[in-house]
Amino acid sequence: LGIFMTYKFFGTISFSELKEMILAATGFSSEQLQAIRWITLALFVGACGKSAQLPLYVWLPDAMAGPTPVSALIHAATMVTSGVYMLARLNVLISMSHTAMMVIATIGALTAFLAASIAIAQRDIKKVLAYSTVSQLGFMFLACGVGAYTAGVFHVITHAFFKALMFL
């Protein structure tokens, strides 16, 4: 990526040139990079299900119908944030696939906007908390998708603290 940024300052670059630069910098073949892309996208689909991202976000508000201690565990503990943690731990693979980074960032941004919009229209406080959690998870995914893995994990920690305090 540093090679791309340096080259970008001095002229325009096409996608074929970018692909050749990535192949030369990593030492992987084109088939290996394609396999990494598909593996990363498959792991991202799993993270979407665990962390309630589009289109798999509907289970979290339904899970909030349970007792308050269970809701606190779902929101403040590692139940929904483990998908973000997995993406942060797989940052080496994700950074090798610009397609996967773009998909992760796009899904995260769309989820953050959609869930916040839905939370505005809710009347039940537990649903508002659930959709706000989905929105915050979207921001965490957006951070991982743009390569700010440290910011994503930092937001996981701050989210756990303020949701735990809200349930107290």
Side-chain angles (χ1 to χ4, degrees):
L1 188 60
I3 296 169
F4 168 71
M5 297 306 264
T6 305
Y7 189 79
K8 187 64 178 167
F9 282 140
F10 298 110
T12 59
I13 186 169
S14 67
F15 285 112
S16 61
E17 291 173 332
L18 177 62
K19 181 179 176 184
E20 292 300 321
M21 291 172 79
I22 291 172
L23 290 175
T26 60
F28 290 121
S29 68
S30 180
E31 293 82 17
Q32 289 171 329
L33 285 177
Q34 187 174 9
I36 288 171
R37 178 184 324 133
W38 286 110
I39 289 168
T40 306
L41 289 173
L43 289 169
F44 170 66
V45 170
C48 281
K50 185 67 176 171
S51 293
Q53 296 295 294
L54 276 175
L56 306 171
Y57 68 95
V58 294
W59 68 269
L60 189 59
D62 293 337
M64 283 295 290
T68 302
V70 174
S71 302
L73 282 176
I74 289 172
H75 287 283
T78 58
M79 283 292 288
V80 293
T81 56
S82 59
V84 179
Y85 180 73
M86 181 186 72
L87 291 179
R89 288 298 303 251
L90 295 175
N91 64 15
V92 174
L93 284 178
I94 293 171
S95 297
M96 294 172 96
S97 173
H98 296 287
T99 304
M101 288 182 76
M102 185 173 49
V103 168
I104 292 169
T106 303
I107 295 293
L110 289 174
T111 302
F113 178 74
L114 180 70
S117 301
I118 294 172
I120 291 172
Q122 296 301 311
R123 295 184 184 270
D124 182 20
I125 189 67
K126 283 194 168 187
K127 296 269 186 181
V128 172
L129 288 174
Y131 282 112
S132 73
T133 297
V134 173
S135 178
Q136 294 301 309
L137 287 165
F139 286 123
M140 295 174 207
F141 270 68
L142 177 61
C144 289
V146 298
Y149 302 103
T150 306
V153 172
F154 179 74
H155 192 69
V156 166
I157 294 167
T158 58
H159 178 263
F161 278 108
F162 74 74
K163 283 293 180 173
L165 290 174
M166 283 175 58
F167 278 102
L168 285 177

